[in-house]
Amino acid sequence: QVQLVESGGGLVQAGGSLRLSCAASGPVFSTYGAGWFRQTPGKEREFVATISRFGDYTHYDDSVKGRFTISKANAKDTIYLQMNNLKPEDTAVYYCAATALVASFKEREYNAWGQGTQVTVSS
């Protein structure tokens, strides 16, 4: 079982940037696909971005396309989410996750989750 811990959340103004990190530990992390999801109280968890196990494929939700970038540093067992031009609607708890699949945008296909990190964007 992969263990994931997010960090890098905080309070930023609209238009600002933030980079989230997800430190992973456990067996063969570099062979797992990964993703970022977010959740606001009262709403369901939403897909944000995914990256293939080898980093050669990425996919983003339309709401963040062009603004967010997901990446992996397998040698460091770390997943990143670079967030630029942040908007108030980006405010949420962000979770990283790992999947045994190459990549996925489906929450049910992820088998390991971090505890989340809060991102708040002020207007």
Side-chain angles (χ1 to χ4, degrees):
Q1 182 71 43
V2 176
Q3 304 289 321
L4 304 171
V5 180
E6 301 94 338
S7 64
L11 174 64
V12 298
Q13 290 186 303
S17 298
L18 204 61
R19 188 175 79 155
L20 305 183
S21 298
C22 177
S25 62
V28 290
F29 173 72
S30 63
T31 68
Y32 285 75
W36 285 94
F37 292 77
R38 63 188 182 186
Q39 186 171 31
T40 300
K43 298 179 65 178
E44 296 182 7
R45 186 174 291 172
E46 302 176 336
F47 167 77
V48 176
T50 187
I51 186 167
S52 63
R53 60 184 66 186
F54 302 119
D56 58 322
Y57 170 83
T58 58
H59 179 71
Y60 301 87
D61 183 78
D62 287 342
S63 66
V64 304
K65 190 176 300 181
R67 299 189 297 120
F68 291 10
T69 302
I70 186 173
S71 61
K72 295 179 66 180
N74 289 338
K76 298 180 179 180
D77 290 337
T78 304
I79 308 164
Y80 301 100
L81 184 68
Q82 178 65 46
M83 304 183 293
N84 297 325
N85 191 25
L86 284 161
K87 303 176 180 180
E89 52 263 43
D90 294 319
T91 295
V93 175
Y94 283 71
Y95 300 88
C96 64
T99 175
L101 302 176
V102 174
S104 177
F105 55 84
K106 299 178 180 178
E107 181 178 351
R108 65 179 181 275
E109 294 180 343
Y110 285 83
N111 47 273
W113 295 84
Q115 295 299 117
T117 184
Q118 177 71 50
V119 171
T120 302
V121 184
S122 62
S123 59

